[in-house]
Every structure is written in C-alpha cells, then in structure tokens.
Amino acid sequence: MELNICHLYPDLLNLYGDGGNIIAMKKRLEWRNIECHIHNVTLHDSFEQDKYDIVFIGGGQDFEQEVILKDLKGDKTKRLKEAVESNVCFLGICGGYQLLGNYYQTWDHHQFDFIGALDLYTIGDKKRMIGDFVFSCPDILNLDVVGFENHSGKTFLGNSVRPLGTIKKGYGNNGQDQTEGARYKNVFCSYSHGSLLPKNPKLCDVILDTALYRKYRVNINEALHDEYENEANQFILNRLL
Amino acid sequence: MKFRRSTALIIAKILVKILRITGRGGTSLPGKLALLIYPALLSDLAFNTEAIIVTGTNGKTTTSRMISEILKNAGLSFFENKSGANLISGITTSFIENHHLNCQYAVIECDEAAFKTVSKHLNAKYILVTNLFRDQLDRYGEITHTLNNILEGIKNCKEATVSLNADCSLSSSLKDSISNHVIFYGVDIPLENTDETLSDAPYCIKCKSRYHYSFRTYGHLGGFYCPSCGYKRTQPDVSVIDILSVGKCDSKIVVSMNNTTYQAVVNLPGEYNIYNALAALSVGIAMSVNEQSMIDSLSTFTGGFGRMENIILNHVDTHIILVKNPAGLNGVIRYLSNLNDEMILTIVLNDKFADGTDVSWIWDADFENLIRIMDRIKMIYVAGIRYDDMALRLKYAGIDQSKIFKVNNYNQLIDEISDDKYKNTASYVLPTYTAMFDLRLKLTKKFKLKNFWK
C-alpha cells in the first residue's frame, strides 16, 4: 500500500513548523510499512487531483499569501474543489484553512476571494489570537487536541460545514462561538500550529485511516508506541486545564 | 529636571550594585527604573558618545564582540552593553554604568524590535544590520514587519554609515529606502553543504517573483537575482573570495577589501561566524581602522557569552552554543556534521517570552541532518521546559529513542553530561535564551565559573 501526499505551496505556506505535519504523516505510515510519497506543488505547477490521497496546506505570511492568490485563480481552484468533492483527504492549517473558504475580509474591509471549496469565511481583526490552546473533538475521537494558535483572522462556518472541535481553552475559529476548525467530507481544518499532528497522533491516524479507507477499503489497525507523543500532548493539557 | 536626572542615576547605580552582590545580573532593571524617573536619561547620557549599533536577527552578540576586539586593538576607547541586555532598559543600564568613562564609542547590540526606539536616543554614527531570518513570529510578527522597523530606526540616524549584508535579499533591500552611506559585505563563493531546504525569502521582496541564485551560502543568503524586476545582490565592498579551511575551532579565509586581499583566521568555527567577521570588518572600514589590525583582531577574538563558549565541566570539554531560530540551529547542525569527534549533544528548549512562546520553530529546523552523524553522537540529552516537544521532534527526525535521554531537572542534567564516562567526548550544549541563563546559573554555582555579566 502507498499514499501520495500533496504538499501545496511548501515554499510559501510553511510557517510555525507546519511542515511537521508532513513529517508526522510520512513517519507514521512508514512505521506501519505503508509507502508514502510527498509531492511538492507550488507556483506554476499543475495540481493533478487524481494523483493525491491527502492534500496538505499550511499557513503563511501575508506577503506570501498574496503571491498564491494569483496562482490559484482558474484551473487550480477548479481542481482543488473537484478533489474536495471527490473525498480526497485535506488538512488545512491556519492560512491554508482560510484559503479553502469563500473569502477573507481584512479589518479595513478589503475582500480577497478564496477558492470556496468550503462554506466558510474569515474576517481580519487587528488583535491577534496567540497562545497554546486545547479543543476536544468528541465525534471523531475521544481526545483533547493541543496546539499553538497565532492568527488575526476570525473564521465563521456556514451551514454545510461542521467544526472540527470545541474549544476548551484558547480562541479557536473566532474567539466567540467556541468552535475550532472545520470538517467537510474528508477535509480537516484547524488553526493549530505547533505542529498539530506530531502532538496529536490519534488525529494523525484518523486522517491517514480516512485516506487509506478511501483508497484501499482498509483501516489502520496497528497501534504505535506513542509515549513521546502523549507526553508532549499531556504537557499542554496540564498547563492549560 | 537636573534633580530628577541625578536621582535617576544614583538610584540606578545603587540598584546595579545590589543586584550584583545578590548574584543577579542586574542588566535591565536599573535602566528601566531610571527611565521611569527621568525618561530623557538615555538621550542625555548618550549625547557625547558615538554609537555603533548592531541589529538584525542572527549574530548580533558575536559581531558586537568582534567589533569591540577591533576597537580595542586599534586603541580606541569604548564600552559595550553586555550579555544580550539589548532592549532599551538594558542599553540604558550600560550607559549608566559607563558614562563616567567618557569613552569615544559605545558598541551597542540592539534587539531588532527595540531598534527604532533606541535609535532615537543614541548618537548613532555606525549601524550594522547583520541579516534577517524568521525569528519568534509570536513576538516580532512577519519578517517584513521587522524589516520596516529597522528601516524606521535607520531613518532616525541620518548621519550614520550603514553596513548591510549583500547576500541577504531582505536586509540589503534597505539600501533603496535610505539616503545614508552604505557599505556592503558578503561571501562571493558558495559555502559547502548547501543542500538547504529552508529559505525564509524565496520570493522577491520588491515584486514577488521567485529569485534565481548564481550561488548560495546558506538559508536565503547568496547570489540572488530577480528575473522579473532585476533586483539583485550588490557586489560587496568587503568580501570573502576564498575559503582555505573550515576547522573545528576556526576558519581560514581570504578577504578582499579596498582592493587588497588579506588572509585571515576567524577564531570561531561555523560558516555563520565568517559572516559575523565580515560584518565586523565592514564597520571597521567605515571607521577607517587599520586593515591589518582588523584582520589580526579576528584571530585573537574569543566567543561571547554562550556563543561557542568553551568550558570544562569536571573533565568534559563542553561547548555552549545559543540557539533561537531555525536558521541559527541549522548552522549549528551543519557545523556539528563537519566534526569527526565523538560527541554528546544537549538541547535545552524553553518557551518563555525571550525564547519565543511558540516552540513550533523546532519543526522548521533540519534535525534530520543529524542522522548522518548519529554513529558519532553517543547520546542526545533533552531538557528545559519543553523537553517533551524536543524529544518528539528528534524521534520524528528519525533518531533512535535509545539515543534520546529526557531529563527534567538541571542538576541531574549537569551530573549526566559532566560524568567521567564522557571525559574523552566533546559535549555540545544548545540552549535557548532563558535556558542558557538558567543552566548557566547552575553551572556557575557548581563549577565556580565566572559570572555572566563580566
């Protein structure tokens, strides 16, 4: 078995250790003797939606996000939406999460249209939401997810999109409605940097499992020794809860 | 006002003494208090001293110390701020402690976020911007934000000669926004092992097209040019034209400046220290210091606090190297990869304000490059507040867990890494900022090391 992971704009969307999510997915597949290939897709490269089982989009700086919007227009946007609708697994973090939504409105009311694969939008604020945070995702796993958020955009979900989790400590999507992240088809989105997946191995396995099941109709059944992972997770839980 | 000024000075001086006696560095509190009492104090004290301000992301402390060595050998009178006390409070403390010496120069290492404020108060004649890398985004924000802060700071100092790193596409872009006299320094040739994945600036700062490179040194540094708008590296005034050897303790290089070439020994290892040496030379040139005397200074220079500092713990030869961001850490890993010694490694990761409260940067550093030398690394100790995260990072870099040793208190750590079993092993300790202070305090007590503010 093998999974193909597309890392979208790895040279542009790579803030706050988001690349650690790629490392975590790759390692956790390899430790189970499942092959993993990473495909870097950046500006001017074509996005071949049939080739990928998982698409990862990280967060970036404003400077870099502007470059990306131009590149996304047209064909790439169409293909990304097709991939989402055909149940390809996605993980979007922070800026990558926002990008999958409808638009971003800056605090001074400039609107940037995004790809609109998910029914959600983001409103920029002057105040940044920064710090360690914890959320629970009871419907996909009985576990507290920990991370570090650092965003000024407030994201609001439309009717067809569920939150990934409920905030226990921190801000999450917007600091108002206790929601964090988004779920739609096989798309997982979160504001959690940190990196997200190494410290939340069960969430990583849920994503891998979703992709494996879609491709091979098999589930992950091999548990790994997650001592270090759980200790790092527990440290933040102890600090915050 | 005169009363407030003298009150502020006296109280601050007493505080400096008290803090020293009680064994705390006392580098920022006195200045902070004095500024509260008399806000114009720093401008007052700094008025008659020509300031050399060193700012930028990496290499500030080492380069400042190199500049001091150059000034010392040139017989010029100066003082410097110590031990990374590089915010306005710490810099004020330095002036409080030293103003009675009536030095001609002050060598001031300045935090890049504090620079735009500090520069208003000092009589800056020379400004050096070492480079710009991603660093503690929770605190500084985006790189372009830091760049703008530095620009504002330089604009406060119209008289100053500015030294810029020609190889850094970010900081060298400052040239076009200032009217100051600028001296460029840079490395004219590729440095070894440039299989670098991390670039903090792949796209043109001016037009957002992808840079091309005629050669790379490390990170985003090198011979960049933008095919779209034509922005490109400026040929530097001070440059390295050849590297003769890169050793465990030093680098031998050939430097070209003012149309003359010199062989030089940089008495600190690591290619990032070659940049630091060049940066120091560029300031010396701006000050018209004798060139051979500057070159000689590089070979007599010894590292600053926690910058490749060498100490013996029990019988173990130990080197302390501060790490604070991916670019710096990658530089250290490259340096270690070039060594043939058997070694132990200690990484101490804290997440206090001065370290950056977000530890995710460890995932942007190439710990995977340690794999190639794991046969020489006997053990990697991880300590500090976030040692769980560090251990996890190493595991996912592919390092066998039998070679990762998690230790959650400094006393146990020190016992381990100073044990006789390591007496023929080189020990490298890589702490983040506050971890270095915490660890240093313990080491000072146990091994009677010199106090850190000296």
Side-chain angles (χ1 to χ4, degrees), chain B residues 122-290:
Chain B
L122 303 191
N123 173 22
K125 283 288 175 350
Y126 307 96
I127 294 170
L128 164 66
V129 185
T130 55
N131 48 51
L132 270 177
F133 287 101
R134 271 191 200 170
D135 188 24
Q136 299 178 24
L137 290 139
D138 57 312
R139 178 167 155 221
Y140 294 111
E142 302 197 355
I143 283 188
T144 45
H145 181 75
T146 303
L147 189 62
N148 286 333
N149 275 343
I150 292 177
L151 176 61
E152 270 188 58
I154 296 176
K155 287 189 166 167
N156 292 330
C157 314
K158 301 247 182 290
E159 304 280 287
T161 300
V162 178
S163 291
L164 297 176
N165 185 335
D167 302 346
C168 172
S169 55
L170 291 164
S171 53
S172 70
S173 73
L174 289 164
K175 162 83 161 76
D176 297 334
S177 313
I178 56 178
S179 52
N180 303 56
H181 176 55
V182 173
I183 294 185
F184 280 104
Y185 65 91
V187 175
D188 283 348
I189 48 171
L191 297 175
E192 55 176 336
N193 291 336
T194 45
D195 53 341
E196 204 56 60
T197 50
L198 181 91
S199 170
D200 290 343
Y203 293 89
C204 178
I205 183 78
K206 295 179 188 281
C207 78
K208 302 187 177 180
S209 302
R210 198 173 182 67
Y211 288 123
H212 290 200
Y213 280 84
S214 52
F215 66 93
R216 278 177 182 267
T217 55
Y218 70 88
H220 65 279
L221 307 188
F224 66 89
Y225 64 96
C226 173
S228 176
C229 75
Y231 172 49
K232 64 175 203 290
R233 174 184 190 257
T234 308
Q235 182 54 42
D237 307 292
V238 185
S239 62
V240 166
I241 54 170
D242 198 6
I243 294 180
L244 305 174
S245 71
V246 179
K248 183 188 168 190
C249 305
D250 60 23
S251 305
K252 293 186 177 62
I253 57 176
V254 180
V255 177
S256 159
M257 50 184 171
N258 288 345
N259 301 317
T260 313
T261 58
Y262 298 87
Q263 278 201 22
V265 178
V266 181
N267 196 27
L268 273 184
E271 52 214 23
Y272 49 93
N273 281 317
I274 296 177
Y275 270 104
N276 293 335
L278 280 176
L281 291 177
S282 76
V283 172
I285 292 229
M287 299 176 69
S288 306
V289 175
N290 175 278

Side-chain angles (χ1 to χ4, degrees), chain A residues 156-173:
Chain A
F156 298 91
L157 306 180
N159 290 332
S160 62
V161 179
R162 313 189 299 284
L164 174 67
T166 306
I167 284 292
K168 284 188 152 182
K169 204 85 183 195
Y171 300 95
N173 279 339

Side-chain angles (χ1 to χ4, degrees), chain B residues 151-445:
Chain B
L151 176 61
E152 270 188 58
I154 296 176
K155 287 189 166 167
N156 292 330
C157 314
K158 301 247 182 290
E159 304 280 287
T161 300
V162 178
S163 291
L164 297 176
N165 185 335
D167 302 346
C168 172
S169 55
L170 291 164
S171 53
S172 70
S173 73
L174 289 164
K175 162 83 161 76
D176 297 334
S177 313
I178 56 178
S179 52
N180 303 56
H181 176 55
V182 173
I183 294 185
F184 280 104
Y185 65 91
V187 175
D188 283 348
I189 48 171
L191 297 175
E192 55 176 336
N193 291 336
T194 45
D195 53 341
E196 204 56 60
T197 50
L198 181 91
S199 170
D200 290 343
Y203 293 89
C204 178
I205 183 78
K206 295 179 188 281
C207 78
K208 302 187 177 180
S209 302
R210 198 173 182 67
Y211 288 123
H212 290 200
Y213 280 84
S214 52
F215 66 93
R216 278 177 182 267
T217 55
Y218 70 88
H220 65 279
L221 307 188
F224 66 89
Y225 64 96
C226 173
S228 176
C229 75
Y231 172 49
K232 64 175 203 290
R233 174 184 190 257
T234 308
Q235 182 54 42
D237 307 292
V238 185
S239 62
V240 166
I241 54 170
D242 198 6
I243 294 180
L244 305 174
S245 71
V246 179
K248 183 188 168 190
C249 305
D250 60 23
S251 305
K252 293 186 177 62
I253 57 176
V254 180
V255 177
S256 159
M257 50 184 171
N258 288 345
N259 301 317
T260 313
T261 58
Y262 298 87
Q263 278 201 22
V265 178
V266 181
N267 196 27
L268 273 184
E271 52 214 23
Y272 49 93
N273 281 317
I274 296 177
Y275 270 104
N276 293 335
L278 280 176
L281 291 177
S282 76
V283 172
I285 292 229
M287 299 176 69
S288 306
V289 175
N290 175 278
E291 288 162 18
Q292 190 58 51
S293 153
M294 289 199 280
I295 295 289
D296 294 344
S297 301
L298 298 179
S299 65
T300 55
F301 170 81
T302 52
F305 173 53
R307 275 77 178 179
M308 240 7 133
E309 200 179 14
N310 189 195
I311 51 179
I312 306 292
L313 302 183
N314 191 14
H315 301 291
V316 183
D317 187 14
T318 306
H319 306 262
I320 301 180
I321 315 173
L322 175 76
V323 292
K324 52 182 190 171
N325 50 37
L329 190 47
N330 284 344
V332 175
I333 292 173
R334 273 196 308 278
Y335 163 68
L336 295 176
S337 308
N338 289 332
L339 303 180
N340 294 316
D341 308 358
E342 290 226 299
M343 63 178 101
I344 56 168
L345 205 58
T346 303
I347 307 174
V348 198
L349 179 66
N350 274 4
D351 67 349
K352 293 182 189 171
F353 181 73
D355 307 293
T357 55
D358 180 6
V359 297
S360 65
W361 63 274
I362 60 175
W363 292 89
D364 290 325
D366 296 327
F367 285 100
E368 283 74 8
N369 287 342
L370 288 176
I371 297 297
R372 278 181 280 171
I373 57 166
M374 278 318 289
D375 56 330
R376 275 173 273 152
I377 299 180
K378 288 184 175 169
M379 187 62 75
I380 304 181
Y381 294 90
V382 289
I385 297 169
R386 298 301 291 269
Y387 75 134
D388 287 320
D389 287 77
M390 196 59 240
L392 187 62
R393 175 68 188 98
L394 294 174
K395 176 182 173 182
Y396 278 86
I399 290 161
D400 196 284
Q401 269 172 263
S402 65
K403 282 204 171 174
I404 303 171
F405 193 123
K406 290 174 78 167
V407 41
N408 71 356
N409 84 67
Y410 287 131
N411 289 327
Q412 194 197 340
L413 173 70
I414 292 167
D415 286 345
E416 273 293 332
I417 64 174
S418 62
D419 193 281
D420 280 342
K421 69 184 168 206
Y422 293 133
K423 70 179 172 200
N424 294 318
T425 307
S427 168
Y428 292 89
V429 181
L430 279 41
T432 58
Y433 197 74
T434 69
M436 182 172 73
F437 279 77
D438 295 347
L439 186 62
R440 185 61 192 243
L441 223 58
K442 294 273 182 197
L443 291 174
T444 305
K445 278 194 187 131

Side-chain angles (χ1 to χ4, degrees), chain B residues 4-22:
Chain B
R4 290 188 76 127
R5 182 186 188 275
S6 44
T7 311
L9 258 180
I10 289 167
I11 290 179
K13 283 189 171 175
I14 292 171
L15 201 54
V16 168
K17 288 235 162 72
I18 293 175
L19 289 170
R20 289 242 164 120
I21 292 164
T22 56

